Amino acid sequence: VRVAYWDSVLNWHYAEQEKGKIVIDPLADQTMTETYENGISTVLCLAYGNWLYSKQGRRKGEKQIWVVPFEWPPPPTETEEHFQAWLRFVRTMVRHFKGRIRYYEIWNEQNGNWNAVYKRPSKTEQAISEYVRLVKESVRVIREEYPEAKIMLGSTGGFDREYITACLKQGVGPLLDVIPWHPFYGTQQDLPQYRSYRSDVRAWRKVCESYGFKGEYMATESGWYAPYPAPDKPFGGGAVSEIVKAKYLARYITMSVGLDLTTFWNTTWHHYTWWDLGLFRNPNSADPVSPTQPQAAYYVLRTMCTLLDSATPATVPVEFSNKQAEFDLDAFRLPGGRTLVGVWIPGRAADDSPRVTTDIAFPGLRFARAVGIDTLNGTEQPLEVSGGRLRGITVKDYPTFVRLEPA
């Protein structure tokens, strides 16, 4: 899970509301303990500025207004006092959560919000240099407090390779353990930027490695939307149905695990009815009791997590007898010598899925038994195997998985 990347009680502007006094919300603190004790790894985003140390002092906002984004503090680079106060905040958070939280992310979407309060571009040479200094000094403090910590560059809004490269050129690569980004928000899955994502990520890894980075990669935010009723101007790439949202989730998670990316759906629950970013239906908040009902995407994500647990990306030879159809696939190895292959029809999904029938062969791969798994419904069934070939497999516009048991 990932926390404090938006308006959060764990952000600096909430934790320090009186100069020199950093208070960690006790309920959030307890939640982090329970998360750790239940075997869940947490990414804590260290963000944002603090009005207490800004040149102009806090502007008077509306009562109960969100600080981010409506009263966004400036980044801690205006004065040395502001910068040193930021480092004290970083030190306090890392020292307090050491042992419970291992991943620390330095800012969030700095490629778009670094100078948001001043409405200045965030991708100028000066802005990037300011951010890189913040990263380097924050890394130093984190290493002093917690040498085993995993330190992340701030996630970029979008798969912003140009911005990250500019940071790498200033020497942050060897200092970091994780490079993250936010690849998709409502992006229709027939668009070129989605269809080329696999090759783009693989090529991007080589670029990062050329600047001395040797860590892991994370896609820390992505999501698709199914608001009801659909707004006239939907957020991102447009609104889809709940079923299509679930299908897109299954495709995206499969592709991401196939790329060996730690991947986050943003978010579990979201209260904007016109956005519908979460995995639950938005209730009517005027009700005395607001029931929170899972969408289809919730169950599909649960199935995907179970199905891909312990899966590692693999290259598996696959041949389809149907040469007229286009297929998308990712392959994995499972413990015990098992092989897992997910296959689907690419492009835009629909409520009523098109169906393509094909035989599937795995040249050079010996297996004794095959099981088909429907990710939308979570059902399994044995498949007919003849001469090392699966006969008459129905492929839909969301992943059907085939698990091959060794001979």
Side-chain angles (χ1 to χ4, degrees):
V1 299
R2 178 171 175 258
V3 298
Y5 53 90
W6 199 238
D7 214 40
S8 165
V9 294
L10 294 176
N11 289 153
W12 182 23
H13 54 262
Y14 276 125
E16 186 175 353
Q17 299 186 41
E18 178 183 336
K19 272 192 175 184
K21 187 177 181 181
I22 297 175
V23 179
I24 296 174
D25 180 84
L27 181 57
D29 197 15
Q30 176 187 337
T31 302
M32 293 300 93
T33 298
E34 292 181 1
T35 302
Y36 169 74
E37 289 177 347
N38 282 278
I40 299 171
S41 297
T42 298
V43 171
L44 174 61
C45 189
L46 300 168
Y48 293 93
N50 194 312
W51 284 110
L52 291 174
Y53 298 94
S54 66
K55 288 181 178 180
Q56 65 210 70
R58 180 163 185 170
R59 296 181 296 178
K60 187 178 180 181
E62 296 295 330
K63 188 177 181 181
Q64 296 182 341
I65 197 169
W66 284 11
V67 176
V68 175
F70 302 112
E71 285 290 331
W72 212 316
T77 55
E78 297 177 299
T79 66
E80 191 61 21
E81 180 195 19
H82 200 167
F83 191 81
Q84 293 303 320
W86 159 265
L87 295 181
R88 286 195 300 272
F89 164 71
V90 171
R91 188 180 298 277
T92 300
M93 298 298 280
V94 175
R95 179 180 294 174
H96 182 82
F97 287 110
K98 179 180 179 180
R100 289 180 290 163
I101 295 179
R102 194 178 184 197
Y103 286 83
Y104 296 89
E105 182 178 3
I106 304 172
W107 218 265
N108 172 64
E109 294 195 349
Q110 63 280 352
N111 62 323
N113 66 41
W114 184 246
N115 287 309
V117 66
Y118 300 126
K119 295 182 169 50
R120 296 173 186 164
S122 298
K123 297 185 182 182
T124 64
E125 185 176 347
Q126 178 183 347
I128 293 173
S129 294
E130 289 176 351
Y131 173 68
V132 166
R133 183 200 174 204
L134 185 90
V135 170
K136 289 181 177 179
E137 287 299 300
S138 298
V139 168
R140 177 183 61 80
V141 169
I142 295 170
R143 294 292 183 216
E144 288 174 357
E145 292 293 331
Y146 189 5
E148 299 80 21
K150 296 286 190 177
I151 303 177
M152 302 169 57
L153 194 73
S155 300
T156 57
F159 189 18
D160 195 338
R161 288 157 283 179
E162 180 181 355
Y163 181 91
I164 300 173
T165 300
C167 294
L168 292 172
K169 286 180 177 178
Q170 295 194 33
V172 301
L175 306 177
L176 299 168
D177 300 292
V178 183
I179 290 180
W181 59 83
H182 301 160
F184 304 114
Y185 267 124
T187 308
Q188 291 293 351
Q189 294 188 358
D190 60 341
L191 294 177
Q193 62 264 39
Y194 186 88
R195 298 291 295 138
S196 66
Y197 187 63
R198 286 187 185 86
S199 58
D200 290 343
V201 168
R202 292 182 177 119
W204 172 239
R205 282 194 171 109
K206 296 179 181 178
V207 173
C208 295
E209 290 166 4
S210 72
Y211 287 100
F213 178 72
K214 298 179 181 179
E216 60 183 299
Y217 302 84
M218 290 187 181
T220 49
E221 292 182 25
S222 279
W224 280 262
Y225 323 112
Y228 180 83
D232 294 333
K233 297 180 179 180
F235 181 84
V240 297
S241 70
E242 284 192 10
I243 293 296
V244 171
K245 177 179 176 178
K247 292 179 177 183
Y248 281 174
L249 181 153
R251 292 175 172 187
Y252 172 66
I253 295 296
T254 303
M255 176 175 67
S256 298
V257 177
L259 288 167
D260 200 21
L261 291 175
T262 300
T263 303
F264 299 74
W265 179 272
N266 190 34
T267 56
T268 305
W269 177 82
H270 202 278
H271 58 280
Y272 288 164
T273 56
W274 51 269
W275 199 350
D276 179 65
L277 197 58
L279 300 173
F280 297 87
R281 295 193 180 105
N282 286 294
N284 183 345
S285 295
D287 292 342
V289 177
S290 295
T292 304
Q293 298 175 323
Q295 292 189 19
Y298 169 87
Y299 297 106
V300 170
L301 181 58
R302 187 175 65 177
T303 296
M304 299 301 298
C305 290
T306 302
L307 181 63
L308 294 171
D309 184 35
S310 301
T312 56
T315 300
V316 175
V318 181
E319 292 181 355
F320 299 97
S321 63
N322 189 330
K323 303 300 182 182
Q324 284 71 47
E326 181 182 4
F327 299 101
D328 213 347
L329 68 88
D330 286 281
F332 310 89
R333 298 294 184 193
L334 296 174
R338 297 173 298 165
T339 300
L340 188 67
V341 177
V343 58
W344 63 96
I345 305 168
R348 293 202 183 194
D351 283 356
D352 296 323
S353 174
R355 296 165 184 253
V356 173
T357 302
T358 184
D359 293 351
I360 306 178
F362 305 91
L365 188 65
R366 298 184 63 188
F367 57 95
R369 181 171 176 266
V371 176
I373 303 153
D374 186 306
T375 54
L376 198 62
N377 299 299
T379 55
E380 294 188 11
Q381 71 178 61
L383 302 176
E384 291 187 7
V385 181
S386 176
R389 178 184 295 265
L390 305 180
R391 304 286 184 179
I393 302 299
T394 300
V395 180
K396 305 174 186 176
D397 62 0
Y398 61 91
T400 294
F401 276 85
V402 175
R403 187 174 65 236
L404 304 176
E405 309 288 348

